[in-house]
Structures are given as structure tokens and as C-alpha cells.
Amino acid sequence: MYSRLLILTLGTFSVGTDSFVIAGILPEISRTLGVSISATGLLITVFALSYAVLSPVVAATTAHWPRKRLLLGGLVVLAIGNVLTAVLPSYGPVLASRAVAGLGAAMFTPTASATAASLVPPEKRGRALAVVMAGLSGATALGAPLGTVIGSEVNWQATLWFVAVLAVLGAVGIGVLLPAVPPAPAIGLRRRMAPLKDARIGFTLLTTVLVFTGLYTNYSFVAESYDRATGGSGTVLAALLFVWGLGATVGNLGAGRLTDKADPRWIIATAVTVAAVDFALMPLTNRHLATAVVAVFVWGVCGWASLVPLQHRLITVNPAHATLTIGLNAAATYLAVSASGLTGAAGIALLGAHRLSLFGLGFLVLGLLSSAVATRLIRRGAGRAVAPQT
């Protein structure tokens, strides 16, 4: 079972690396394509928006596909998108290639989460989700830094080839090791979208949007927020980001085990509350390297500790629509990531870079309120899900 889950993890590792690595090679891409840094930054936005918009569409329109075929297809499309980014000569086509890569990610990650949940008994579902999502959190600690090093030592195109190779290796592993997973029942598009009428699901997705907007508002401008602690050193900043990614991996895996033993609502509430306290103290802790290391680690742990219980809540509320609701949650996450550049810029304009965490804190508090509403609805049985009909 775990060998199959680890193969899915390799796939999410390639997706996560693709999501985060572009930020580390933006200057090189900008110089090669002859466009500004701000224009080059749209490569990140296009990938995130493609993922966010297409995840629920893919989940709704491919539910009748065998899961193994969809997983393989997603990694192949991801690899193709990265190869195109590496070989295309001008900005416009390169920008379009990032949308292709986003489509591959949208095909793979929600399907991988739903497949992992289906491969294990319910009492081990949290751990299975955590193992697969460890690919995303691990990519922040290892994949993105390694890809950045490849870009600096060779060229940025080599970084994209590296991601493509990861995707191909994941596809080969899935082709060899993953058993056939039957598709969902064939139902109409309107019936597939019925979970959106469920208030429990709606407020859980809103929680994801608010919490991850808060978390990534600070991450998008982490260099500016922590320049006092890093002294402007890119190497020290990279080390801080590694600590953040290490914390993300610890939080993700720890939350997976806890979710199988405790009520997910308490895990979500605790993780977001501790993150909020951490953010409230950041204008002080981001002054010195020692306190910055602690703050960044806590940020990574608590931020990613909320992801698995949110997914688990969606699957538990409506198991019949697990693939769709997980896809919607992935869309919500990447909507938050794509919006964080705007919210971060707004926060800096209002409060300054060193107090940016206080702006993100507002979103975390709203996320706590949204999660509390979802919990109350779940306990009351409100917003009952619509059962699928063939």
C-alpha cells in the first residue's frame, strides 16, 4: 500500500516543484526572454490560475475515466508543459506553456488525493492523504531549492527539464505499481456540481481560501519581510525557506496521523490559531535570524497542518463526490496562491514589509471564523449533500 502511495507522492513532488521553483529562476528567465521581472512573474500566476480554474472542471468532466489513466495523463501533460517552457523562444508562447503545465497539475493532484483515500480503510485515510501531500510540502524544502541550484549552475531551461524528468519518473512508477482504480459512476455535469450547494463544503472551501491567502500573503514577499534577519543575503534567505519547507513537511505528516485519531476541526482550529499568534509576533521575530528561524518553522508547520484535515473533512462530508471536492479544494488553494501577490502588495502599501504578517493575520482570523461556521453546520447536519444518481 505504501509503495503505491509513495509513487503518488513522487507525482505531487513534481507538481509542487513546478509550482514553487519558477520564483527562484525568475531573473534568469526575465533576461533570456527580454521582459520585466513583473511580466515574468505572470508565469507563476498563469500556472496557479490554470490549476485553480481547471481543477473542478477536470474533476467534473473526467469522472468516468479510470483513475490510473487520468493520473498518467496529468503527469504527461505536466512534463509536456515544462518541456515547452524550456524550448519555446519567446514570452507569449512560454506564458501559454505554463497554462499547459497547470492543466497537468489540475489533472493529477486532486485525483492523487482521492485515489490515496480510496486505497486505505477509513481509519487510515488521514495518513494516506498526508503521505501524498508530503510531495507538495517536500517540494518546498527540497524540490524548489534543488531546481533553483540547477538553474544557477546550468541554466533555467535545465530546471524545467528537471521537473519534466520528475513527472516522467512518476508516470512510469504509476504505470508499473498502481493498480487499476475504477472510475466514479457516470452522472451528469449538473449532478456533479451538486456539492457546491452544500453549505458545509462551501464554508470548508472558504476556510481554505482565507487561510492560505493569509499564509501566502507573507510568503510572496518573504525576502522583503525578513531582510533585517537575512541582511539581504540570498543564501540566508534560501536557508530560511528550507526551514519553512521542513516545517511544512513536519506539519503535513503530523497532521495526517492526528487526523486519523482526533476530530479534524480541532486540528484545523489549533493549527490556524498558533499560526495567527506566530504572525502577530512576526514584526518582532523577523528582526533577528535566531527568532526568524523559529517563526518560519512554526509558520510552515501550522500552515500545512491545516491542509490534510480540510481535505479529510470534505471527503467525510460527501464521500461520493470526493474527487470533485478535493479538486475544488486544490482550486481554492491555488486561488489563494495566485491572489497573494496582490494581497501582499496591498499589505506592504498599508503596513510596510516588516509588518506584512499583520495583514495576513486578518485572513487567518477570518479563516478561523469560516471553519467554525463549517463545524457548526456539520454538527447540525445542515446543507445536506445531494446524493449522486446514475
Side-chain angles (χ1 to χ4, degrees):
M1 179 184 69
Y2 282 103
S3 65
R4 296 165 181 171
L5 294 178
L6 289 174
I7 288 301
L8 295 174
T9 303
L10 178 57
T12 56
F13 183 81
S14 64
V15 171
T17 300
D18 202 14
S19 301
F20 296 110
V21 78
I22 295 296
I25 55 177
L26 275 183
E28 292 80 4
I29 299 176
S30 175
R31 287 192 294 269
T32 301
L33 299 180
V35 296
S36 67
I37 283 288
S38 58
T40 310
L42 289 176
L43 299 180
I44 300 173
T45 301
V46 166
F47 179 94
L49 283 177
S50 175
Y51 190 130
V53 171
L54 295 177
S55 286
V57 176
V58 168
T61 58
T62 63
H64 62 288
W65 288 22
R67 300 298 88 184
K68 187 172 181 178
R69 182 195 302 174
L70 186 56
L71 291 166
L72 287 170
L75 290 178
V76 169
V77 172
L78 184 76
I80 290 172
N82 279 275
V83 169
L84 290 173
T85 303
V87 302
L88 288 172
S90 58
Y91 175 71
V94 166
L95 195 64
S97 74
R98 300 311 298 155
V100 174
L103 169 61
M107 294 171 66
F108 182 83
T109 305
T111 308
S113 294
T115 299
S118 72
L119 290 174
V120 299
E123 65 272 15
K124 294 184 178 180
R125 186 179 290 158
R127 274 173 283 182
L129 288 170
V131 168
V132 174
M133 287 299 101
L136 292 180
S137 58
T140 67
L142 296 176
L146 181 57
T148 300
V149 170
I150 292 172
S152 63
E153 296 297 325
V154 185
N155 54 49
W156 66 266
Q157 291 91 341
T159 298
L160 278 302
W161 282 103
F162 165 67
V163 177
V165 169
L166 288 177
V168 170
L169 289 175
V172 171
I174 287 172
V176 173
L177 295 177
L178 192 71
V181 180
I187 57 178
L189 182 60
R190 178 179 298 180
R191 187 66 65 183
R192 294 186 204 282
M193 302 306 290
L196 292 177
K197 300 178 182 179
D198 189 331
R200 299 169 298 176
I201 289 175
F203 276 98
T204 301
L205 294 174
L206 180 60
T207 301
T208 298
V209 171
L210 292 169
V211 168
F212 278 85
T213 297
L215 294 170
Y216 278 92
T217 289
N218 215 40
Y219 187 87
S220 296
F221 295 91
V222 66
E224 292 83 355
S225 298
Y226 281 86
D227 59 358
R228 296 178 295 182
T230 64
S233 168
T235 302
V236 177
L237 177 62
L240 277 181
L241 293 179
F242 172 78
V243 171
W244 186 84
L246 182 64
T249 303
V250 171
N252 176 72
L253 293 176
R257 299 187 70 85
L258 287 173
T259 300
D260 289 329
K261 300 177 181 179
D263 191 330
R265 62 177 171 146
W266 295 116
I267 302 172
I268 296 168
T270 301
V272 179
T273 298
V274 175
V277 173
D278 188 40
F279 271 39
L281 296 175
M282 273 187 193
L284 300 176
T285 57
N286 64 18
R287 294 179 178 181
H288 307 287
L289 184 58
T291 53
V293 168
V294 175
V296 166
F297 183 77
V298 172
W299 174 13
V301 170
C302 294
W304 283 79
S306 63
L307 183 59
V308 168
L310 284 167
Q311 289 183 320
H312 191 278
R313 171 179 279 181
L314 289 169
I315 293 174
T316 303
V317 166
N318 195 336
H321 287 94
T323 302
L324 175 59
T325 55
I326 291 295
L328 290 170
N329 199 60
T333 303
Y334 273 82
L335 277 175
V337 172
S338 62
S340 63
L342 297 175
T343 56
I348 288 177
L350 289 172
L351 301 174
H354 298 147
R355 297 182 178 180
L356 179 58
S357 62
L358 300 180
F359 195 75
L361 172 61
F363 290 99
L364 296 182
V365 172
L366 291 174
L368 278 172
L369 294 175
S370 176
S371 181
V373 172
T375 296
R376 179 171 296 183
L377 291 172
I378 290 169
R379 293 178 68 180
R380 291 182 177 179
R384 183 174 300 170
V386 180
Q389 299 177 8
T390 57

